[in-house]
Amino acid sequence: MRKCQNCNHENPDNAAFCENCGIKFIDNLKKCPQCQTVNTSESRFCENCGYDFQSATPKDTGNEEQLQQSNRSNAVHDLAEQQVPTSAADVTSTMANGSDNAISSAQERPQVQHAIDGKEKSQSGSESESSQGKLSSAPDGASMMTGGTPDKQRVSRLPKWVRLVSGLVIILLIGVGAYFVYGHPSASSKAPSTPAATKESGTSSSGEKHKSVNFNVTEIKKDIGATVGAIGGTNSVYVSPVNSEQSVVVNNGSQRSASSIKIYIMVTAYAMAKEGVFNLNDTHTLTNDEKVGGTGVIQNMRAGTELSYREIIEYMIDDSDNTGANIMIDKLGGFQLINNKIKSMGATDTKLRRKMLDTKALDNGRDNTTSARDMGTTLKMIYNHHLVSREADDEMLAILRKNQNRTKLPNQLPSTATVYNKTGEYADYGVQNDAEIVRNSQGAFVAVVLSEDGEETDQLAAMNKLGLMLYQNILA
């Protein structure tokens, strides 16, 4: 048996993916020298920071910024050395004799500023003098213009307590300034941040993902038997928390997928985009020959309409667009390439054998298939960022969250529940499928129901009831 490194579930020796949590078994790993993220051995670029493993050394970002920060700090430090008293005696002398510089006249302020500007310029290799005289440092620590004549008679009329308070204020301001220059960390010293997917605001946080939900296997089996298990046709069910090795699988086997297969077309597109062989932002020009009936809105768009492949995928999932699915099958390279990707995910019961609404293929006995377990483990891998990449998995979750069909498993759930799902239906063959991830503040779980050769009203009623019972038992 092969034990999963993620959840410790024991799997067959030849398993490529964990049957419980869906994580792919990886024999060889390598650590990014730039951000320390662990990547698969075949990855050329780091999934976290984009580091090229074929390069000689990691990029040293931030040196230029640190140099600029150091130059600025040195400039302020040199200026402070001219103006800050260096001993307790100097502080006393300053408060008694020279602290009144803080209350300079409007005429003196531009002269001092000009001298400071000259000091900063001299540090960069050039010399500058004010037209009023050069900036010098007096013995008592107070700066004065040697080319000008300060109005000492006016300053001497200030009360002693005013000069004392002024000196304390100057010392306080210099101390605060020194803290920000020397004690405050620069931006370049911060640890590199992990890219977060901004596409999907509802993605679980690490705290939510590690919560323990209530998963009573006996009660869940009883709920399934009282709902989907009590109707006619061929019915299979998969239920599992997203972060647990526990699961309930009933009557698992290969069944007609209908539009549920579109999840695997989407995953293939994002996997190829990560590999750099497909660009989701490239555009496709719609033709009349591509249009097919059934569900979807692309068939109603005029020929010549340009859509990005990212947009086509969204239509394919959220509106179950058949035309969009057929466009993606052609663009991604056809059945064989997509089936190879599906197999690499560990979905052994899932096969793409025909395009949407290809009735000739159906007449010849060729149909698309999947299983409840395949669908469930695939959704778990997406949710836990174990399928393509964190960014890609989050984008796919965002698309699933916008799905328009919530008439089956999530139909009776409260508004506080977040749902990511994809349905499939084909009335001619009595097919009604739904695969969902349901999340609230307590945690999240996956539920899949595949129903074939049944009556639609019975199927929908059973799914509605089971979806609510699972939510109440697991997340309430």
Side-chain angles (χ1 to χ4, degrees), residues 2 54 62 83-84 88 105 120 150 182 234 279 323 426 449 460:
R2 185 171 191 174
Q54 295 184 7
Q83 294 183 334
V84 182
S105 65
E120 292 175 342
Y182 300 108
T234 302
N279 191 337
T323 300
Y426 206 142
V449 174
L460 295 186

Side-chain angles (χ1 to χ4, degrees), residues 91-165:
V91 171
T92 305
S93 176
T94 299
M95 291 189 293
N97 302 316
S99 62
D100 48 287
N101 280 333
I103 314 174
S104 61
S105 65
Q107 182 180 1
E108 290 171 321
R109 279 196 297 269
Q111 294 173 337
V112 174
Q113 182 62 47
H114 189 98
I116 293 174
D117 292 341
K119 174 62 178 178
E120 292 175 342
K121 290 178 181 179
S122 67
Q123 290 179 337
S124 64
S126 63
E127 296 181 356
S128 175
E129 284 191 4
S130 165
S131 60
Q132 303 296 326
K134 291 186 291 184
L135 180 65
S136 63
S137 177
D140 60 358
S143 62
M144 55 192 301
M145 305 299 297
T146 58
T149 305
D151 191 353
K152 294 182 179 179
Q153 183 177 1
R154 180 181 60 185
V155 175
S156 64
R157 287 198 293 265
L158 291 173
K160 185 174 182 179
W161 67 271
V162 173
R163 287 179 284 161
L164 180 60
V165 171

Side-chain angles (χ1 to χ4, degrees), residues 177-190:
Y179 166 77
F180 280 104
V181 171
Y182 300 108
H184 195 67
S186 64
S188 60
S189 65
K190 295 180 181 178

Side-chain angles (χ1 to χ4, degrees), residues 26-304:
I26 300 174
D27 297 323
N28 296 313
L29 299 173
K30 59 183 177 183
K31 183 178 290 186
C32 174
Q34 181 161 285
C35 69
Q36 307 306 311
T37 297
V38 176
N39 297 261
T40 57
S41 60
E42 65 269 18
S43 297
R44 173 176 175 177
F45 299 98
C46 175
E47 179 179 309
N48 177 46
C49 68
Y51 170 68
D52 187 348
F53 287 104
Q54 295 184 7
S55 65
T57 57
K59 299 177 183 177
D60 187 6
T61 58
N63 284 346
E64 182 178 350
E65 184 180 352
Q66 290 177 343
L67 180 59
Q68 293 175 350
Q69 179 69 17
S70 176
N71 289 339
R72 289 196 294 268
S73 300
N74 290 337
V76 176
H77 178 67
D78 291 344
L79 183 58
E81 285 182 344
Q82 292 189 7
Q83 294 183 334
V84 182
T86 58
S87 66
D90 290 337
V91 171
T92 305
S93 176
T94 299
M95 291 189 293
N97 302 316
S99 62
D100 48 287
N101 280 333
I103 314 174
S104 61
S105 65
Q107 182 180 1
E108 290 171 321
R109 279 196 297 269
Q111 294 173 337
V112 174
Q113 182 62 47
H114 189 98
I116 293 174
D117 292 341
K119 174 62 178 178
E120 292 175 342
K121 290 178 181 179
S122 67
Q123 290 179 337
S124 64
S126 63
E127 296 181 356
S128 175
E129 284 191 4
S130 165
S131 60
Q132 303 296 326
K134 291 186 291 184
L135 180 65
S136 63
S137 177
D140 60 358
S143 62
M144 55 192 301
M145 305 299 297
T146 58
T149 305
D151 191 353
K152 294 182 179 179
Q153 183 177 1
R154 180 181 60 185
V155 175
S156 64
R157 287 198 293 265
L158 291 173
K160 185 174 182 179
W161 67 271
V162 173
R163 287 179 284 161
L164 180 60
V165 171
S166 301
L168 292 174
V169 169
I170 291 173
I171 295 172
L172 178 62
L173 291 175
I174 292 174
V176 172
Y179 166 77
F180 280 104
V181 171
Y182 300 108
H184 195 67
S186 64
S188 60
S189 65
K190 295 180 181 178
S193 59
T194 302
T198 58
K199 299 285 184 181
E200 170 49 27
S201 60
T203 304
S204 64
S205 65
S206 59
E208 288 176 355
K209 288 172 68 174
H210 288 88
K211 287 184 177 180
S212 296
V213 298
N214 177 35
F215 197 78
N216 188 316
V217 173
T218 302
E219 288 296 321
I220 291 172
K221 287 182 177 179
K222 186 185 300 183
D223 293 343
I224 294 172
T227 54
V228 175
I231 63 175
T234 302
N235 306 292
S236 57
V237 181
Y238 173 94
V239 184
S240 177
V242 296
N243 63 338
S244 169
E245 64 183 48
Q246 289 182 296
S247 65
V248 172
V249 184
V250 176
N251 197 33
N252 186 67
S254 179
Q255 294 182 223
R256 296 182 190 268
S257 67
S259 287
S260 300
I261 196 75
K262 293 169 183 173
I263 285 182
Y264 292 96
I265 299 174
M266 173 180 68
V267 171
T268 298
Y270 275 90
M272 292 176 64
K274 183 191 176 186
E275 294 166 2
V277 296
F278 178 65
N279 191 337
L280 293 166
N281 295 319
D282 283 349
T283 58
H284 176 83
T285 303
L286 181 65
T287 66
N288 286 324
D289 292 340
E290 297 170 321
K291 298 179 181 179
V292 296
T295 54
V297 297
I298 295 180
Q299 61 181 303
N300 300 321
M301 299 180 184
R302 64 174 178 81

Side-chain angles (χ1 to χ4, degrees), residues 378-393:
T378 298
L379 289 181
K380 283 181 73 171
M381 285 191 289
I382 293 175
Y383 186 85
N384 291 311
H385 306 116
H386 292 161
L387 193 53
V388 179
S389 68
R390 174 173 290 274
E391 181 180 3
D393 293 351

